[in-house]
């Protein structure tokens, strides 16, 4: 079953696969070299580079590790830089915050 949302997702995955292929070639690695360094089969590398939508995230992470780019995975949706999420949270902040202290009766 295909949805309109799957088109941009599939395009992004295919683009990522092409970028992985380019990164591999720029480093002078064959698919077999990359597969050996990742600890996977050549078929897995081929599927990843083809942008197969069923690829496990661990394979992407392994490829990024081989390329010396693993930190970029952590930065994909870095919470401190999530401007949309932070804006939504800020919009829900109360205008005023009242103290929870109980008022003690004055002594006469």
């Amino acid at each position: 079953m295909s949805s309109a949302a799957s088109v941009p997702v599939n395009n992004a995955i295919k683009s990522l696969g092409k970028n992985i292929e380019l990164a591999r070639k720029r480093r002078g690695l064959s698919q077999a070299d990359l597969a050996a360094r990742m600890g996977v089969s050549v078929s897995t590398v081929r599927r990843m580079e083809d942008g197969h939508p069923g690829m496990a995230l661990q394979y992407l992470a392994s490829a990024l590790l081989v390329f010396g780019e693993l930190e970029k995975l952590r930065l994909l949706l870095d919470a401190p830089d999530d401007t949309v999420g932070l804006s939504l949270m800020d919009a829900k902040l109360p205008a005023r915050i009242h103290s929870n202290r109980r008022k003690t009766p004055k002594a006469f």
Side-chain angles (χ1 to χ4, degrees), residues 66-101:
V66 170
F67 299 147
E69 302 284 353
L70 186 57
E71 181 65 12
K72 289 185 178 177
L73 182 61
R74 188 188 67 77
L75 297 175
L76 282 177
L77 191 55
D78 195 20
D81 292 330
D82 181 8
T83 55
V84 173
L86 292 170
S87 294
L88 290 169
M89 284 175 48
D90 288 349
K92 292 180 181 179
L93 289 175
R96 300 178 84 185
I97 297 177
H98 301 282
S99 174
N100 288 335
R101 289 186 288 156

Side-chain angles (χ1 to χ4, degrees), residues 18-39:
K18 293 301 172 198
N19 289 341
I20 290 169
E21 179 182 16
L22 184 59
R24 174 184 57 77
K25 288 178 177 179
R26 285 179 174 167
R27 287 162 175 79
L29 298 172
S30 68
Q31 287 181 330
D33 293 335
L34 180 57
R37 289 186 181 190
M38 290 174 58

